[in-house]
Amino acid sequence: MAAVSPEDGMSKLDITGKDVASKTNGASGQNGKHGEIEPGDSDEDEAEDGEEGPANGEGAAKKKKKRKPRKKKKAGAAVAPGQSSPPRVEVSKLFPYNAYPVSEEVEYQNDNAYRTTSEEKRALDRSNSDYLTDYRQGAEIHRQVRTYARANIKPGMSLTEIAEMIENSTRALTGHPGLEEGDNIKGGVAFPTGLSINHCAAHYTPNLGNKTILQQSDVLKVDFGVHLNGYIVDSAFTMAFEPRFDPLLEAVRAATNTGIALAGIDARMSEIGAGIQETMESHEIELNGQLFPIKSIKNLNGHTITPYSIHGGSSGKSVPIVASPNNTDRMEEGETYAIETFGSTGKGYVRDDGEVSHYARNPDAPKNTPLRISSAKGLLRVIDKNFGTLPWCRRYLDRLGQEKYLLGLNCLVQSGVVNDYPPLVDIKGSYTAQWEHTILLRPNVKEVVSRGTDY
């Protein structure tokens, strides 16, 4: 979920570097680049291809049959082994011993290289490892949901259909439907599914009654989060259905991977932002016979993530995506970051525009803020009991059976008890793209927890 530069008054790998060493936890060889099974590969395929193998003894002396080429799976049926289509099986049932995949670990370099072998740092990592189960479970849920979504999102679908596809799958796989009071605070959807199209870069999700239909010529940013016990996995991708947009998507994806490669303990935010901008703006795109430079959107940022706080609260840090020499912040051991970048064919600057859908409780609001509208008090109780400090949208209130709440909601916003987050747009006619991953700066290794074989 995007963070806006605070100076603008709004709160809010493929590893490409040759000197970055990465390793994976998982099977070797056939299990893919980051320790996961590649799409189309499975143990079942191996069994089908090699039934004549030596397992039965006598077969060992027979000449091996020529391996048949694997059949390509249909894109619309992309699911994880043991998972249903659409995804409805709780991920915890697929991993009964909580042995969730470790998608990518990257060793620290240079002055921090000692951390890899330091027994002290390893011990510290082990002593604080309980939270890793929640993060890795959330990441596996994100991968399974997005795999299904990426295979099934098509032009002609409504944005409401797409949002509900993602959110219902997330709720099912976490085992938290979110209808009972307090259930969504235990786990489930971490924030509203962002479905921002074309010049709209972030913070758009359909409200009830929205009739927007995804078009063949659209560029769609899909930004959604999963949480278990407040540990939020925040990851985003962009989809386009015409190859002319490929250069834009590749530029932003490369910029995000640059940010991930540069991130680490003691890393300077200014250097990360400069590196991201250099990668992003080395690309250009031709649209309708005109050449456009691809610009980093300078007032959007990556951000820290803390339990139950998508932007890290009032003490959160921003990760710029442009050169920011005045930013003296550094990353620190134990922090969690969303490394996200946004590229645009427009001005490279966003502003508020359109109907608001995203909201969140203001954790810094005075506890006894007077509310002059009685319905606002009841609505605030619903918000506190069902979302706490997690972001939410109006569809979630509708889902809980809330009616005629807009007057009370406006009162909460005007009183500063709730923050609203309008859609963020560049100039009309421009196109924007986004890619994002969640990283954990563990004492002895950097973990790109949301990494998958897809991105």
Side-chain angles (χ1 to χ4, degrees), residues 25 86 99 109 115 141 158 160 163 189 194 201 203 224-225 344 373 394 419:
N25 280 9
Q109 302 295 308
R115 293 174 173 274
I141 291 167
S158 71
T160 299
V189 173
H203 294 176
F224 73 99
S344 175
I373 296 177
R394 282 156 55 176
N419 293 325

Coordinates of all heavy atoms in Angstrom, one line a residue, residues 25 86 99 109 115 141 158 160 163 189 194 201 203 224-225 344 373 394 419:
N25 N 16.2 -21.5 0.8 CA 15.9 -22.6 1.6 C 14.9 -23.5 0.9 O 13.8 -23.1 0.7 CB 15.4 -22.2 3.0 CG 16.5 -21.7 3.9 OD1 17.6 -21.6 3.4 ND2 16.2 -21.5 5.1
P86 N -11.5 -21.8 -7.2 CA -10.6 -20.8 -6.6 C -10.1 -21.2 -5.2 O -10.6 -22.1 -4.6 CB -11.6 -19.6 -6.4 CG -13.0 -20.2 -6.3 CD -12.9 -21.4 -7.2
A99 N 5.8 -25.4 8.5 CA 7.1 -25.3 7.7 C 6.8 -24.6 6.4 O 6.8 -25.2 5.4 CB 7.6 -26.7 7.5
Q109 N 26.3 -7.7 2.7 CA 27.6 -7.5 2.0 C 28.5 -6.5 2.7 O 28.0 -5.8 3.6 CB 27.3 -7.0 0.5 CG 26.5 -8.0 -0.3 CD 27.1 -9.3 -0.6 OE1 28.3 -9.3 -1.0 NE2 26.4 -10.4 -0.3
R115 N 27.8 -10.7 9.5 CA 26.6 -11.1 10.1 C 26.2 -12.5 9.6 O 25.5 -13.2 10.3 CB 25.4 -10.1 9.7 CG 25.6 -8.7 10.3 CD 24.5 -7.7 9.8 NE 24.6 -6.5 10.6 CZ 24.0 -6.3 11.7 NH1 23.2 -7.2 12.3 NH2 24.0 -5.1 12.3
I141 N 0.3 -17.3 1.5 CA -1.0 -17.0 1.2 C -1.1 -16.0 0.1 O -1.8 -16.1 -0.9 CB -1.8 -16.5 2.4 CG1 -2.0 -17.6 3.4 CG2 -3.2 -15.9 2.0 CD1 -2.5 -17.2 4.8
S158 N -15.5 -6.8 -13.8 CA -15.7 -5.5 -13.0 C -14.6 -5.5 -11.9 O -14.1 -6.5 -11.5 CB -17.1 -5.5 -12.4 OG -17.2 -6.4 -11.3
T160 N -15.1 -4.7 -8.9 CA -15.7 -5.4 -7.7 C -15.5 -6.9 -7.8 O -15.1 -7.5 -6.7 CB -17.2 -5.0 -7.6 OG1 -17.4 -3.6 -7.5 CG2 -17.8 -5.7 -6.4
A163 N -11.8 -7.4 -6.9 CA -11.5 -7.2 -5.5 C -12.0 -8.3 -4.6 O -11.3 -8.8 -3.7 CB -12.1 -5.9 -5.1
V189 N -7.4 -10.0 5.7 CA -7.1 -8.9 4.8 C -6.4 -7.8 5.5 O -7.0 -7.3 6.6 CB -8.4 -8.4 4.1 CG1 -8.1 -7.1 3.3 CG2 -9.0 -9.5 3.2
G194 N -6.0 -2.6 -3.6 CA -5.9 -1.5 -4.5 C -6.0 -2.0 -6.0 O -5.3 -2.9 -6.4
A201 N -2.5 6.0 -9.7 CA -1.4 5.2 -9.3 C -1.7 4.3 -8.0 O -1.1 3.2 -7.9 CB -0.2 6.1 -9.0
H203 N -4.4 3.7 -4.2 CA -5.5 4.0 -3.2 C -6.8 4.1 -3.9 O -7.7 4.8 -3.5 CB -5.2 5.3 -2.5 CG -4.1 5.3 -1.6 ND1 -3.6 6.4 -0.8 CD2 -3.2 4.3 -1.2 CE1 -2.6 6.1 -0.1 NE2 -2.3 4.8 -0.4
F224 N -2.3 -5.7 -2.7 CA -3.1 -6.3 -1.6 C -2.2 -6.8 -0.5 O -1.0 -7.1 -0.8 CB -4.1 -7.3 -2.1 CG -3.5 -8.6 -2.5 CD1 -3.5 -9.7 -1.6 CD2 -3.0 -8.8 -3.7 CE1 -3.0 -11.0 -2.0 CE2 -2.5 -10.1 -4.1 CZ -2.5 -11.1 -3.2
G225 N -2.7 -6.9 0.7 CA -2.0 -7.3 1.8 C -2.6 -8.4 2.6 O -3.8 -8.6 2.6
S344 N 5.8 6.3 -14.2 CA 4.8 7.0 -14.9 C 5.3 7.6 -16.2 O 6.4 8.0 -16.3 CB 4.2 8.2 -14.0 OG 3.2 8.9 -14.7
I373 N -22.1 13.8 16.4 CA -23.1 13.0 15.7 C -23.1 11.6 16.4 O -22.1 10.9 16.5 CB -22.8 12.9 14.2 CG1 -22.9 14.3 13.6 CG2 -23.8 11.9 13.6 CD1 -22.6 14.3 12.1
R394 N -15.0 1.2 2.5 CA -16.5 1.2 2.7 C -17.2 -0.1 2.4 O -18.1 -0.5 3.1 CB -17.1 2.4 1.9 CG -16.9 3.7 2.5 CD -16.9 4.9 1.5 NE -18.2 5.0 0.8 CZ -18.4 5.9 -0.1 NH1 -17.6 6.9 -0.3 NH2 -19.6 5.9 -0.8
N419 N -8.5 8.8 9.4 CA -7.9 9.4 8.2 C -8.5 8.8 6.9 O -8.7 7.6 6.8 CB -6.4 9.1 8.2 CG -5.6 9.8 9.3 OD1 -6.0 10.9 9.7 ND2 -4.6 9.2 9.9

